[in-house]
C-alpha cells in the first residue's frame, strides 16, 4: 500500500514517471460455467503473450503477471476443511488475497490490523490460509522482494442483504485497513497490499514472468480450482525495480495503456471526495476517504475510481462509459439520447483520457472497453460451445476453426459485455442504447445545461476592445515587438501558428537576464514510446474543445441538477462572452469577479500576502453561492500590477483542492498576460475553464487601426486568433495523447525548470521541478521591475513602444543567444582555416558563461584532478571522433550537397552521419570513384517511413527509430510540396510536388512493447546494425530509456530541447522538452539503478558545441555524442532560420537549384571542427585524469557547481539531484560493455533462409510449407534482408520464394518483405502485417474449415502495410484500424477495414470490397483507393479534406481495378471477389474512387496521364 | 516579414549619381533622387535573418531588418520611428558612413548586400519631406544640468539623448560652427551643410543650448564647469593630426588635410578667406599623402577646385579586391575601397614612402619618394622595406597630409581637469564611460580615438546612457555599444 508515498528522491527519477504497457487477455464461458480448463486456457494466453512482457537485468524476474478469477468455491471448501473450517455457500463469504511484508514483526502487525478492523466492522473471520507458492522458480530480484501471500476468509454478516452490500462492506473494511496501515510502522508499506477482497473474485498475481504464474501458484493447477472466466495480464514496465503489487490485474480492471490525464483526474477526484454524501455508504462514508493516494499509478487510480463508482450502484458499462467515453462530440451517427447521456456525464466527470484498453469485471459480468482513439489492439473469437477468447493478439489460444463463429476486434470507443446470467455477449449498440435510456438525460440536459451562445447579449456592461494606455499595459505584461510581429500576426492574419526553424539557443528562463513571465519556466510534457501522441489535425474527430463549467454535484447520484452547468464550446472567451458570463442569471449559475492585482509600492512580500487574501475571497464567494469565478487583472495602473495570471490561477486552484471546494466552482481567467498558445495551455493545464485575453484583443484592435494587420475587422481578427489558439491547444494536448480539453483541464502536463520546492508545493503542487530555483520573492521582484519600467514617468521620446524581444531572432538589446554573430563567425573561421586557437576563441564564447548564463552546464565546473595526465596519455582524437555523429537532418530539410558533404566528412573520420527522415538515394550506398563515401551510416526510421525500404535498412551500420525530435517532440512533420522535387520525391518514394505528412506517432508504436517489436523487426532485417531509439529529454525520460534497454535497443539517444528543425511551430521550439543535461543525468541514474546500463549505449545531442559540452555530457552519463547545428555552421549556415521557407541563401537548407549553387561547405571544414572538439575534450580529460572516454562516463563526482556565478535568480538552483550518483554505480556497469540479446536465433526466418538457399544463391524458384503461431514474430524480415543484401533494391523475380503458412501469424508478418518473396497464409494474422512491404506479396485467407463469412470477420490486426513502398497484399477478411497507413506504393485488396484507412497515404492502390470505418483517407496526399459501396454509405466515413470522392473518371480505372480483384480471387479464393467479378458491368459502377486533389493536380501539371502504380499494372 | 526570396527577385541597385564631369563643377550632393518603389524593392532583398549580422556590424545596432521590412511594406513613418530609436542622426550616417552593416550583411557572403545605407537615407529624408521629423521634447525636466564639450557627432548624440531624458544640456563649441567635422571637415558634396544645420535647429528647438566660440579650458575654466554642471561630457574629438616630419615639411604648400578642408567649408558658408591664406588646388599639381577617407575628401575637393593633376599616395600596399582568408565575413573587409572622388579622377598609388619635399624660396616644388614593400619579421609583424632603385621625384605645388589623427588635444581642459589618458593618449574611461574625475565623462573620438561618425554617435548614446544612470540612478536611455562587432 503506497500510502505516505515520499517522493523526496535523491536523484532525478520519481516513481510516478514509470510506465507500463502490456498484453491483456481474457477467456470466459459465456454461460458462466466454471471449470479449471478456463483457467488453464487463461494461463496459456498468458504464455503466448510472453513476448509482450519484458525482463530486466535479471532474466527470471518478470515485470509482473497475474490472473483475475471468480472465486474457486469447491477448491476452498476442500482446502479449508483440512483445518476444520466450514465454508458457507457461494456468495456467503469472501476471500481476501493479501500481500504482507515478509518479516515476523510486520506479519503479526498486519494480520492483527486486518483482524481488528474486520472484527470492528462486525464481520466474522472464518480463517486464514497461507497461499502455497513455488518461489524457487522465480528470479532473484523477485524473490528478494517477495511478500508473504495469505488469504483471509470472512463470513457475510447477516444484516447485509445482498452480495452488493457485502462487497461494499468489504470495500470499507479494506479502505480502513489501507488508511490505517501507515500508523503500523511497518518496515515496508509497499508490500502490504490487498490484491482482492471480494465474495466474487480473486486475484492471483505477482512479480512474475507470464510463464511463471501457473507454476508459482500451484493452486491454479488444482482440478477443483474452477472459474467461469480468467482475466490475465502480462506487464512490460519501464523500470525493473518492479513491485509485486504493481502487477495486474487490479481488483476490477486489467488495463493496457496509459491514462495521460491521471494527474488532473486524481486532483478532481480528491475535491469530489468532500461532496460525497452519506446516501451510498451510510455512516461508512467517512471511512473511505481519501479515495486515491498520492503515488497511485494511473491504473491503480482508474481501478479505485471504477470500483467506487461500481459499488455505489452504477452498472459496469455505465461506469466505464462515464470514465472513458467514446468520441461522441463529433460523431453524427450516435443517437440524441446517447449524446445526451455523454453530455450529462461530462458534467459529472472529465474523461480519463489516454490510450486504454480496459478489461473489467465484478465477478458477475465481464467486459472490455477501448478508448476513443482505439490505440490498443483487442481481438476476440467466439466459439459455438460458448467460449470467448479476447486478447491483445489473435492466435493466443488454439481454437478449432470449425467451431469459430465470430472473429472480431474491439473498435475505438466501443464496449462489449459478457453476461453469464443471460448467457450471451452484449455488444456496444445494445449496451449504449440501454445506458442512454437509464434516465431522461436528454430532457435533463435540454432543460438544465446552459449553452454560452444561448445567453442574452449584454448591452450594458463595460466590455471594451480598445485600451487607452495600451503600450504601458503591453510592457507591463511583457509584450515584445517580436511577439507581435512573429507570433501574433500570423495567428490573426491567417489563423495559424507561427512556424520557425533551427533550435532555440537562448538561456532558460531562470538564467535569463531579461525579466521573465511565470509561463516561461514551464515546459510541455509529451508522449514518447509509452503512449503515442495523437494527430489532432488528421484525426480531429476524436478531439474536442467543448467542456462544461460550474458547480458539480455528488458523484453517486444522478439528478437533473447535476447538469446545471454552463457549456462552453471553446476555452477562449471574447470580451462579449465574458461579459455574458459575468452577468449570467440562471439556476445554479452565478458569477463573481475577483480582482487579482497587487500593490507594487507597499512593503515587501506583498505578492504572497495578496495571493492568500485572494484565495480567501474566492472561498467567501463560493460560500455566497457563486459557481463561476472570474480571476481578473483588469485595471492595472502605476500602483497596481497584475499578479502573474498562472500564479494566481494555480494558487486558487490548489487552495480549493486542499479545501475540498474545487469542484464547486469553475475558474475563468480574465487577463492581459496570456497571448501565445503555451500561455493558454498552461492556464488550462492548471485548472482554468476559460480565458479572456483582453489585452491581446486590444492589441489587435490597435494593429488594425495602424494597418499592421489587414483583416476585415476586429471580430474577424479574433476569430482567426481563436482558430490558431484552438489548433495549438489541441496539438499540445495531443502531444501527450490527450484528445479533449475537458480532460486536459487541470492535468498539469508540464515540468517546471527553476522554481523552488516551496513555490511548487504551495502553488503548483505535484509539478516536477527537479533543480530548485526561484521563489515567490523573485517572481515579485521580476514582475515589479517590468511593471515599474512599463509605467515609469521617465520614459524617453523616440524609444519604441515595446522591447525588441530577441527570443526568436537575435537582437543586440534582446535575449542572449549562444549562436550570435560573433560565435558563428569564430566557428566558421576556425573550421575553414583549420585554426585551433580560433576554435578555442569560439569555445570560450560558448563555454565561459560568466557574463551571460545560458545553459545548465554553464553552471557546472570540473573538479580537476590533483594529478592531471599528460595529454599524450589520453586516448587519441582519432578514437574520440568515432563517438561522434551528425544529427538526423533529412534530405529535404537540407540540400543534397550539404547532406552528402556531412556524410563524406563523417565517413572519412569513422564517425557517423544520419539520413534523417526521408530515405536515401541508393546510389549513395556505393563508394564514389574518388573514394568519397556518401552513404549515411545511420539510417533513420521516423513515423513517416519515407523511403524505408529493405535495401535502405541493410545499408546501414545503425538504424535509428526517431520517437521524438528536440524541437517538436510529440509532433509530426510536413514537407511542403514545393520542397519535394523530382529527386526528393524519388528518394522518398512519393510523387514530386505532393506535400508529405509525417504523423505524430509511429503507428506501430503505441506502447513500449510495440517499440520492442519494431526494434525486433529492424534487427531481423539487418542484424549487424545497432538499433537506436531517439528520445527527447523530459521528466521521466530515464524510465523510458530503461524501457528501451529492456526492449533490446542497442543505443538510446537523449536529445535536448534545443535541437534544430527544418520547420516547427515557434511555440514548440521554445516550450517543449528539457535540456539534455537533465535527460542524460536521469537516464544514467535510472539505467544504473536498474542494472540496465551495461547493455546499452547512451548518446547525447542537442546543441553540443564544444569539447566542454562533450565532457559534461560524458560525465553525466553519455558515451556517444551527436552534433547538428555546429557542423552546419561550419558548412556555412549563418542561422538565417529560414529553412522552412526554402530560402537559405547559403544553399544549405534549401532545394532551390539556384540557391544550392551557393553552397560552399567542404567536408574538410566539418572534419576540422570535429577534431577540434575531440582535442578540446582530450585537454579536459587530461586535466581530470581520464585516459579513456569510457572511464569518464557517468562520473558526476567530477562536476561541481560553479562558485563564481553571481546571478540573482540562479542562486536558488540545486543540482544535487542532477549530480546524484546511484550507490549501485560501484557495483554494476556504468557504460555499455555488452550487446543486447535480440534472440534472433529463435526466428523462424533462420529456417526459411536455409530452405531458400537455392533461391537466394541461384535465383531458383522454390516453394516452402510452414506452420506458424503468434509467437513467431517478424517472419520474413530476415529473409528479405538477405535478398536485399544480395540483390539490392531490385530484389528477386516475382515468386522466386513462395511460402505457404498455416496458423495464426504473430505481429509484423511479412514485414519489409522483399521483391520476389510471396507469403500465403491460411489462418489469420496480428498487427503490422506487411509493415514496410518492399515488393513482396502477401495473401491471407481463413482456414478451409472455417464456417463464418470471411468478409464479416477480422483476419488481420491494426496498422497493416504501414510505410509500404511496394508489393501486393490480398486479405480475404477484414483488417483492423489504420489499414495501409503511410503506404507509398503497395497494392492491396481487402474485404473490410476499420477507422483511418489509407491515412497519410502517398502512393499505391487500396481496394476495399467491404465495409470501411471512419476517417477514411485522412491526410492522404497520394495514391488511389477504390471502395465498393453498394449501400452508398461511404461518404460520411471519408475525411474529404484532401481527397475527392467520385466515380471512375478514366477508362483505366476499371481495368486496373478488375485486374486487382482478379488477383484477389486468384490468391485468396474470395467468394466476395467472385461475386463482384461475376456481374462486373453492374458492380463496377458501385465502386467509388478516392484520390487526393493535390495529387491529381500535380499529375496533371506534370502531364502524366496516369499515376505510376496504374501504369505498372497496365503494363503487367 | 518581408519577402524571403526578395534577393532572388531583385538585384542590388544604388541610386544614380551625377556623372563625374558634371558633378565636379559644383559642390552639391552627387546622388540623384531615387524612386520610392525602387527603394522598396531593395528593402525586399533583406532576408530578415535569424541572426542579422548587419545589426551587429552597425556600431549603433540599427534595427536594419525591421526598417528594411517596413520600407518594403511602404510603412515609412514606422520605419523612421525604428531608425530613430537607435540612431539620432540617420541623415549623416545615411550619407557618409562606410556602411559596415553592408559589409556584414548575410547576402554579402555570396552576392551583393542589401543597400542598407541608401535605405537609411531614404527613410530619414522621407521623414523630413513629410514633416515627420519634429522636435522630441522630454516628458519631464529633471533639473539636472549637463555640459557637453565639443559639438561633433559624439557630443551631439550625447546631448540629444540626455535632453530627451529631461536633463538641461549645454553644448560648448570653440569653433563658430556647431557640428565638428560634420560641419567643417566633411566636404559639402558628401554632406551638405544645410543637412547638419537642419538637425541642429531641431535640437535647439528641443531645448539643447549651443554655445559656440567658447573654448572650454580657455574661455571657461574647469572649476567653473565643475561647479555649474551636474555632469560633464568631454567630446572634443581626436584633433591632433599625424604629421610627416621629413625634410621640407616646413615649405609653403604642405598642409594638413583638415586645414584645407575646413577652409573650403567655411568659404562655402560665406566666410571671407584672405587670398593670402587661401589654400587652393586650382591649376596646381596636388599630392595627397594618405589613402583613407580624408584623403578622398581632399581629392574630391581638389577636383572641384580644378587642380591640374592630383596624386594620392598610400604607404601601405594595395589592398586585395577580395577578402583574404584571414579577414573573413562578417568583419570589415580590408579590400580596396574607392569613393566617389576616385571616380572623378586622380592618380592613386600604393606602397609609396615620401622621403622629403624640396622647394624654392620656401615654396614647395617637388616631392621625393621611394617605392616600398611590406614583409613580415620573424614575429609576424609587418616591416617596411624600401626598394632600392625606385626613388622618384615629382613636381608638386600642394601637398595635403591626410594621415589620420593621433589623439585629442591635451592642452586645455584635459590637462586642467587632470583627466587620465590611456596608452594611446586618448581619454581613459571606465565601463560607465566616466573618467577618473567624478562626474566627468567622455565620448567619441576623444575617448576611443579616431573613428567613424557612426562610432561617434554610438559612443555619444552610450555615454548618455551612463550619464543618465549616474544622475538618476536608473535610466531608460538605451545602450548602443554592447553587441557591436569588434573592429
Amino acid at each position: 500500500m503506497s500510502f505516505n508515498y515520499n517522493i523526496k528522491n535523491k536523484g532525478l527519477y520519481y516513481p510516478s514517471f514509470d510506465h507500463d504497457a502490456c498484453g491483456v487477455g481474457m477467456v470466459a464461458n459465456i454461460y458462466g460455467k466454471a471449470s479449471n480448463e478456463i483457467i488453464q486456457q487463461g494461463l496459456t494466453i498468458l504464455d503466448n503473450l510472453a513476448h509482450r512482457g519484458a525482463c530486466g537485468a535479471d532474466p527470471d524476474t518478470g515485470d509482473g503477471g497475474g490472473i483475475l478469477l471468480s472465486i474457486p468455491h469447491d477448491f476452498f471448501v476442500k482446502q479449508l476443511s483440512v483445518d476444520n473450517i466450514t465454508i458457507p455457500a457461494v456468495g456467503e463469504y469472501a476471500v481476501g488475497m493479501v500481500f504482507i511484508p515478509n518479516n515476523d514483526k510486520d506479519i503479526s502487525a498486519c494480520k492483527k490490523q486486518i483482524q481488528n478492523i474486520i472484527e470492528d466492522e462486525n464481520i466474522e473471520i472464518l480463517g486464514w490460509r497461507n497461499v502455497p507458492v513455488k518461489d524457487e522458480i522465480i528470479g532473484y530480484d523477485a524473490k528478494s522482494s517477495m511478500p508473504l501471500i495469505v488469504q483471509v476468509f470472512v463470513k457475510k454478516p447477516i444484516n447485509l442483504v445482498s452480495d452488493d452490500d457485502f462487497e461494499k462492506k468489504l470495500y470499507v473494511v479494506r479502505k480502513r485497513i489501507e488508511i490505517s496501515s501507515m500508523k503500523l510502522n511497518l518496515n515496508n508499506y509497499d508490500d502490504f497490499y490487498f490484491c482482492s477482497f471480494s465474495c466474487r473474485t480473486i486475484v492471483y498475481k505477482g512479480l512474475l514472468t507470464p510463464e511463471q504464474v501457473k507454476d508459482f501458484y500451484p493452486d491454479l493447477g488444482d482440478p477443483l480450482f474452477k472459474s467461469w472466466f480468467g482475466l490475465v495480464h502480462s506487464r512490460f514496465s519501464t523500470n525493473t525495480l518492479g513491485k509485486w503489487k504493481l502487477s495486474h490485474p487490479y481488483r476490477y480492471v486489467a488495463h493496457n495503456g496509459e491514462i495521460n490525464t491521471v494527474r488532473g483526474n486524481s486532483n478532481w477526484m480528491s475535491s469530489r471526495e468532500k461532496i460525497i454524501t452519506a446516501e451510498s455508504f451510510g455512516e461508512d462514508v467517512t471511512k473511505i476517504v481519501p479515495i486515491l493516494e498520492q503515488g497511485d499509478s494511473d491504473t491503480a487510480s482508474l481501478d479505485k475510481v471504477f470500483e467506487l463508482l461500481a459499488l455505489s450502484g452504477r452498472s459496469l458499462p455505465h461506469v466505464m462509459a462515464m470514465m472513458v467515453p467514446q468520441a461522441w462530440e463529433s460523431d453524427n451517427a450516435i443517437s440524441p439520447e446517447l449524446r445526451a447521456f455523454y453530455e450529462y456525464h461530462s458534467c459529472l466527470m472529465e474523461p480519463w483520457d489516454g490510450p486504454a484498453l480496459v478489461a473489467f469485471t465484478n465477478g458477475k459480468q465481464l467486459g472490455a472497453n477501448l478508448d476513443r482513439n482505439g490505440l490498443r489492439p483487442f481481438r476476440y473469437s467466439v466459439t459455438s460451445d460458448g467460449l470467448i477468447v479476447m486478447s491483445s493478439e489473435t492466435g493466443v489460444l488454439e481454437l478449432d476453426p470449425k467451431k469459430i463463429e465470430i472473429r472480431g476486434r474491439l473498435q475505438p470507443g466501443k464496449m462489449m459485455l459478457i453476461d453469464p446470467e443471460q448467457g450471451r455477449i452484449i455488444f456496444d449498440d445494445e449496451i449504449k442504447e440501454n445506458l442512454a435510456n437509464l434516465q431522461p438525460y436528454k430532457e435533463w440536459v435540454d432543460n438544465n445545461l446552459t449553452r454560452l451562445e444561448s445567453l442574452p447579449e449584454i448591452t450594458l456592461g463595460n466590455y471594451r476592445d480598445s485600451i487607452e494606455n495600451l503600450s504601458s499595459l503591453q510592457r507591463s505584461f511583457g509584450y515584445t515587438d517580436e511577439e507581435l510581429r512573429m507570433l501574433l500576426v500570423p495567428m490573426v492574419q491567417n489563423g495559424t501558428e507561427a512556424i520557425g526553424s533551427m533550435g532555440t539557443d537562448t538561456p532558460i528562463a531562470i538564467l535569463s537576464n531579461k525579466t521573465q513571465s511565470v509561463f516561461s519556466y514551464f515546459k510541455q510534457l509529451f508522449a514518447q514510446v509509452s503512449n503515442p501522441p495523437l494527430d489532432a489535425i488528421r484525426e480531429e474527430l476524436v478531439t474536442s474543445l467543448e467542456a462544461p463549467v460550474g458547480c458539480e454535484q455528488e458523484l453517486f447520484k444522478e439528478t437533473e441538477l447535476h447538469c446545471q452547468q454552463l457549456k462552453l464550446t471553446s476555452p477562449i472567451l471574447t470580451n462579449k462572452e465574458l461579459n455574458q458570463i459575468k452577468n449570467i442569471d440562471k439556476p445554479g449559475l452565478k458569477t463573481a469577479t475577483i480582482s487579482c492585482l497587487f500593490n507594487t509600492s507597499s512593503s515587501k512580500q506583498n505578492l504572497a500576502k495578496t495571493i492568500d487574501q485572494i484565495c480567501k475571497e474566492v472561498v467567501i464567494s463560493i460560500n455566497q453561492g457563486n459557481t463561476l469565478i472570474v480571476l481578473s487583472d483588469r485595471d492595472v495602473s502605476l500602483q497596481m500590477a497584475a499578479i502573474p495570471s498562472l500564479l494566481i490561477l494555480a494558487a486558487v486552484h490548489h487552495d480549493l483542492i486542499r479545501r475540498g471546494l474545487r469542484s464547486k466552482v469553475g475558474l475563468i481567467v480574465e487577463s492581459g498576460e496570456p497571448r501565445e498558445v503555451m500561455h493558454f495551455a498552461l492556464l488550462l493545464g492548471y485548472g482554468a475553464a476559460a480565458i479572456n485575453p483582453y489585452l491581446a484583443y486590444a492589441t489587435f484592435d490597435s494593429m488594425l487601426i495602424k494597418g499592421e494587420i489587414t483583416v476585415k475587422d476586429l471580430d474577424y481578427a479574433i476569430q482567426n486568433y481563436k482558430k490558431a489558439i484552438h489548433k495549438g491547444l489541441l496539438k499540445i494536448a495531443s502531444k501527450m495523447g490527450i484528445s479533449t480539453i475537458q480532460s486536459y483541464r487541470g492535468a498539469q502536463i508540464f515540468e517546471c525548470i527553476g522554481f523552488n520546492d516551496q513555490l511548487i508545493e504551495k502553488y503548483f503542487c505535484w509539478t516536477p521541478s527537479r533543480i530548485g530555483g526561484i521563489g515567490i520573492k523573485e517572481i515579485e521582484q521580476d514582475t515589479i521591475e517590468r511593471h515599474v519600467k512599463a509605467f515609469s514617468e521617465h520614459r524617453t521620446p523616440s524609444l519604441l513602444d515595446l522591447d525588441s524581444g530577441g527570443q526568436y531572432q537575435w537582437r543586440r538589446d534582446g535575449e542572449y543567444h549562444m549562436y550570435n554573430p560573433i560565435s558563428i563567425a569564430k566557428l566558421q573561421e576556425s573550421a575553414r582555416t583549420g585554426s585551433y586557437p580560433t576554435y578555442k576563441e569560439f569555445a570560450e564564447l560558448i563555454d565561459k558563461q560568466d557574463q551571460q548564463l545560458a545553459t545548465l552546464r554553464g553552471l557546472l565546473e570540473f573538479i580537476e584532478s590533483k594529478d592531471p595526465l599528460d595529454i599524450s596519455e589520453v586516448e587519441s582524437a582519432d578514437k574520440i571522433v568515432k563517438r561522434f555523429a551528425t544529427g538526423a537532418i533529412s534530405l529535404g530539410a537540407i540540400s543534397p550537397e550539404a547532406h552528402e558533404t556531412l556524410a563524406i566528412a563523417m565517413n572519412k573520420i569513422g564517425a557517423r552521419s544520419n539520413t534523417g527522415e526521408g530515405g536515401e538515394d541508393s546510389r549513395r550506398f556505393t563508394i564514389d570513384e574518388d573514394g568519397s563515401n556518401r552513404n549515411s551510416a545511420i539510417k533513420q526510421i521516423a513515423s513517416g517511413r519515407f523511403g524505408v525500404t529493405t535495401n535502405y535498412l541493410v545499408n546501414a551500420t545503425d538504424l535509428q527509430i526517431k520517437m521524438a525530435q528536440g524541437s517538436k517532440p510529440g509532433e509530426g512533420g510536413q514537407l511542403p510540396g514545393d520542397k519535394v522535387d523530382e529527386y526528393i520525391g524519388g528518394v522518398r518514394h512519393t510523387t514530386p510536388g505532393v506535400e508529405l505528412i509525417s504523423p505524430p506517432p509511429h503507428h506501430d508504436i503505441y506502447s513500449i512493447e510495440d517499440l520492442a517489436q519494431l526494434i525486433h523487426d529492424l534487427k531481423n532485417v539487418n542484424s549487424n546494425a545497432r538499433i537506436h531509439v531517439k528520445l527527447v529529454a523530459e521528466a521521466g525520460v530515464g524510465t523510458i530509456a530503461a524501457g528501451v534497454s529492456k526492449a533490446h535497443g542497442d543505443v538510446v539517444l537523449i536529445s535536448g530541447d534545443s535541437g534544430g528543425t527544418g520547420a516547427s511551430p515557434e511555440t514548440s521550439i521554445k516550450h517543449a522538452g528539457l535540456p539534455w543535461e537533465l535527460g542524460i543525468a536521469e537516464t544514467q541514474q535510472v539505467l544504473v539503478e536498474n542494472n540496465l546500463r551495461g547493455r546499452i549505449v547512451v548518446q547525447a545531442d542537442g546543441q553540443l558545441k564544444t569539447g566542454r559540452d562533450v565532457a559534461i555530457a560524458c560525465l553525466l552519463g553519455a558515451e556517444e555524442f551527436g552534433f547538428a547545428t555546429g557542423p552546419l555552421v561550419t558548412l556555412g549556415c549563418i542561422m538565417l532560420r529560414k529553412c522552412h521557407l526554402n530560402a537559405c541563401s547559403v544553399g544549405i537548407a534549401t532545394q532551390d537549384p539556384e540557391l544550392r549553387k551557393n553552397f560552399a561547405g567542404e567536408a574538410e571544414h566539418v572534419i576540422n571542427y570535429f577534431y577540434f572538439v575531440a582535442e578540446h575534450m582530450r585537454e579536459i580529460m587530461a586535466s581530470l585524469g581520464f585516459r579513456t572516454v569510457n572511464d569518464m562516463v557517468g562520473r558526476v563526482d567530477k562536476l561541481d557547481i560553479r562558485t563564481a556565478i553571481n546571478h540573482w535568480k540562479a542562486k536558488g538552483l540545486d543540482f544535487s539531484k542532477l549530480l546524484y550518483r546511484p550507490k549501485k554505480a560501484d557495483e554494476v556497469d556504468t557504460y555499455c560493455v555488452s550487446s543486447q540479446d535480440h534472440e534472433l536465433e529463435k526466428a523462424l526466418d533462420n529456417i526459411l533462409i536455409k530452405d531458400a538457399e537455392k533461391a537466394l544463391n541461384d535465383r531458383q524458384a522454390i516453394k516452402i510449407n510452414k506452420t506458424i503461431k503468434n509467437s513467431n514474430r517478424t517472419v520474413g524480415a530476415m529473409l528479405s534482408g538477405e535478398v536485399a543484401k544480395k540483390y539490392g533494391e531490385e530484389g528477386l523475380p516475382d515468386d522466386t520464394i513462395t511460402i505457404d503458412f498455416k496458423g495464426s501469424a504473430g505481429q509484423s508478418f511479412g514485414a519489409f518483405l522483399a521483391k520476389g518473396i510471396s507469403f500465403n497464409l491460411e489462418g489469420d494474422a496480428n498487427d503490422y502485417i506487411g509493415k514496410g512491404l518492399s515488393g513482396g506479396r502477401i495473401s491471407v485467407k481463413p482456414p478451409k474449415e472455417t464456417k463464418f463469412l470471411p468478409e464479416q470477420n477480422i483476419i488481420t490486426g491494426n496498422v497493416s502495410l504501414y510505410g509500404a513502398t511496394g508489393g501486393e497484399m490480398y486479405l480475404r477478411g477484414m483488417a483492423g484500424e489504420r489499414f495501409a497507413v503511410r503506404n507509398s506504393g503497395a497494392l492491396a485488396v481487402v474485404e473490410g477495414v476499420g477507422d483511418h484507412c489509407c491515412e497519410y497515404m502517398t502512393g499505391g492502390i487500396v481496394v476495399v470490397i467491404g465495409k470501411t470505418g471512419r476517417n477514411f483517407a485522412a491526410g492522404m496526399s497520394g495514391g488511389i483507393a477504390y471502395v465498393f459501396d453498394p449501400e452508398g454509405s461511404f461518404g460520411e466515413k471519408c475525411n474529404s479534406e484532401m481527397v475527392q470522392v467520385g466515380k471512375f473518371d478514366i477508362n483505366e480505372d476499371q481495368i486496373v481495378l478488375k485486374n486487382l480483384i482478379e488477383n484477389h480471387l486468384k490468391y485468396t479464393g474470395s467468394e466476395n471477389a467472385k461475386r463482384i467479378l461475376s456481374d462486373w458491368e453492374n458492380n463496377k459502377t458501385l465502386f467509388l474512387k478516392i484520390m487526393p486533389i493535390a495529387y491529381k493536380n500535380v499529375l496533371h501539371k506534370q502531364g502524366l496521364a496516369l499515376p505510376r502504380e496504374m501504369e505498372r499494372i497496365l503494363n503487367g | 516579414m518581408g519577402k524571403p526570396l526578395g534577393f532572388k527577385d531583385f538585384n542590388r541597385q544604388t541610386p544614380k549619381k551625377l556623372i563625374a564631369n558634371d558633378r565636379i563643377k559644383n559642390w552639391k550632393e552627387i546622388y540623384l533622387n531615387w524612386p520610392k518603389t525602387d527603394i522598396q524593392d531593395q528593402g525586399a532583398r533583406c532576408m530578415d535573418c535569424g541572426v542579422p549580422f548587419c545589426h551587429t556590424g552597425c556600431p549603433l545596432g540599427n534595427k536594419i531588418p525591421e526598417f528594411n521590412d517596413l520600407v518594403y511594406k511602404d510603412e515609412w513613418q514606422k520605419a523612421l520611428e525604428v531608425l530613430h530609436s537607435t540612431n539620432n542622426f540617420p541623415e549623416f550616417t545615411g550619407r557618409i558612413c562606410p556602411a559596415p552593416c553592408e559589409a556584414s550583411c548575410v547576402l554579402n557572403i555570396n552576392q551583393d548586400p542589401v543597400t542598407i545605407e541608401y535605405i537609411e537615407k531614404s527613410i530619414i529624408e522621407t521623414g523630413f519631406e513629410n514633416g515627420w521629423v519634429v522636435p522630441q521634447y522630454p516628458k519631464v525636466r529633471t533639473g539636472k544640468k549637463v555640459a557637453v564639450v565639443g559639438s561633433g557627432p559624439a557630443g551631439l548624440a550625447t546631448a540629444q539623448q540626455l535632453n530627451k531624458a529631461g536633463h538641461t544640456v549645454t553644448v560648448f563649441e570653440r569653433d563658430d560652427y556647431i557640428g565638428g567635422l560634420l560641419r567643417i571637415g566633411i566636404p559639402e558634396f558628401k554632406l551638405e551643410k544645410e543637412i547638419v544645420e537642419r538637425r541642429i535647429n531641431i535640437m535647439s528647438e528641443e531645448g539643447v543650448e549651443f554655445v559656440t566660440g567658447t573654448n572650454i579650458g580657455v574661455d571657461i575654466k574647469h572649476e567653473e564647469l565643475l561647479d555649474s554642471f551636474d555632469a560633464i561630457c568631454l567630446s572634443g574629438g581626436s584633433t591632433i593630426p599625424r604629421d610627416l616630419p621629413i625634410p621640407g615639411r616646413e615649405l609653403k604648400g604642405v598642409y594638413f588635410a583638415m586645414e584645407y578642408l575646413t577652409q573650403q567649408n567655411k568659404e562655402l558658408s560665406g566666410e571671407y578667406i584672405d587670398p593670402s591664406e587661401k589654400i587652393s588646388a586650382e591649376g596646381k599639381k596636388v599630392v595627397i599623402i594618405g589613402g583613407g577617407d580624408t584623403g578622398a575628401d581632399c581629392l574630391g575637393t581638389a577636383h572641384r577646385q580644378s587642380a591640374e593633376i592630383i596624386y594620392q599616395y598610400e604607404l601601405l600596399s594595395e589592398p586585395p579586391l577580395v577578402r583574404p582568408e584571414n579577414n573573413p565575413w562578417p568583419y570589415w573587409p580590408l579590400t580596396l575601397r574607392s569613393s566617389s572622388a576616385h571616380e572623378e579622377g586622380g592618380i592613386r598609388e600604393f606602397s609609396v614612402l615620401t622621403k622629403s619635399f624640396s622647394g624654392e624660396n620656401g615654396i614647395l616644388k617637388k616631392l621625393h619618394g621611394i617605392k616600398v614593400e611590406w614583409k613580415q619579421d620573424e614575429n609576424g609583424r609587418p616591416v617596411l622595406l624600401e626598394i632600392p632603385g625606385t626613388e622618384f621625384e615629382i613636381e608638386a605645388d600642394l601637398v595635403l597630409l591626410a594621415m589620420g589623427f593621433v589623439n585629442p588635444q591635451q592642452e586645455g581642459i584635459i590637462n586642467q581637469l587632470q583627466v587620465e589618458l590611456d596608452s594611446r593618449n586618448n581619454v581613459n574611461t571606465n565601463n560607465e564611460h566616466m573618467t577618473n574625475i567624478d562626474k566627468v565623462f567622455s565620448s567619441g573620438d576623444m575617448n576611443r580615438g579616431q573613428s567613424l561618425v557612426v562610432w561617434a554617435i554610438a559612443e555619444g548614446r552610450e555615454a548618455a546612457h551612463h550619464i543618465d544612470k549616474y544622475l538618476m540612478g536608473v535610466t531608460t536611455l538605451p545602450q548602443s555599444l554592447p553587441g557591436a562587432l569588434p573592429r
Side-chain angles (χ1 to χ4, degrees), chain A residues 245-333:
Chain A
K245 65 163 196 172
L246 291 180
S247 312
H248 293 224
Y250 282 80
R251 297 160 191 128
Y252 278 71
V253 306
H255 166 215
N256 175 7
E258 294 261 336
I259 301 298
N260 299 317
T261 54
V262 67
R263 179 74 270 149
N265 297 126
S266 43
N267 280 354
W268 294 113
M269 267 318 289
S270 74
S271 18
R272 284 176 196 129
E273 279 169 5
K274 307 280 173 25
I275 48 171
I276 291 176
T277 58
E279 218 163 292
S280 308
F281 280 89
E283 58 198 31
D284 285 343
V285 71
T286 53
K287 301 173 184 168
I288 59 169
V289 289
I291 294 157
L292 297 177
E293 292 294 333
Q294 171 70 345
D296 278 341
S297 73
D298 59 339
T299 309
S301 305
L302 178 79
D303 183 70
K304 285 179 175 181
V305 174
F306 187 94
E307 173 181 42
L308 178 72
L309 293 175
L311 287 173
S312 63
R314 288 189 175 92
S315 69
L316 299 186
H318 192 165
V319 177
M320 205 69 248
M322 183 171 161
M323 293 181 71
V324 187
Q326 68 187 99
W328 56 275
E329 295 90 341
S330 47
D331 188 347
N332 297 324

Side-chain angles (χ1 to χ4, degrees), chain A residues 485 708 794-800 804 809-813 821-822 825-826 1134-1136 1138 1141 1143 1145 1152 1154-1155 1158, chain B residues 1 8 47-53 55-56 58-59 61 63 66 78 85 106 110 136-137 164-165 329-330 468 476 480 482-483:
Chain A
R485 276 191 297 119
E708 290 163 359
H794 197 64
R795 297 283 311 171
T796 330
S798 92
L799 285 185
L800 296 176
S804 57
Q809 291 178 313
W810 179 84
R811 287 294 183 269
R812 261 158 74 170
D813 54 351
I822 298 173
K826 285 287 173 210
I1134 24 75
M1135 304 287 284
L1136 269 175
K1138 290 284 171 289
L1141 296 173
S1145 72
D1152 182 323
E1154 236 177 278
L1155 296 179
N1158 291 337
Chain B
M1 209 161 66
K8 277 183 73 188
M47 296 191 285
D48 184 26
C49 303
V51 180
F53 284 74
H55 178 55
T56 194
C58 172
K63 295 183 175 175
E66 277 91 334
K78 183 93 193 287
S85 73
V106 165
N110 47 32
Q136 304 271 306
Y137 302 105
K164 281 181 192 168
W329 174 90
D468 186 34
T476 49
S480 272

Side-chain angles (χ1 to χ4, degrees), chain A residues 943-956:
Chain A
S943 63
R945 303 290 158 92
F946 295 105
V948 179
T949 64
T950 319
N951 191 40
Y952 170 83
L953 296 174
V954 297
N955 281 287

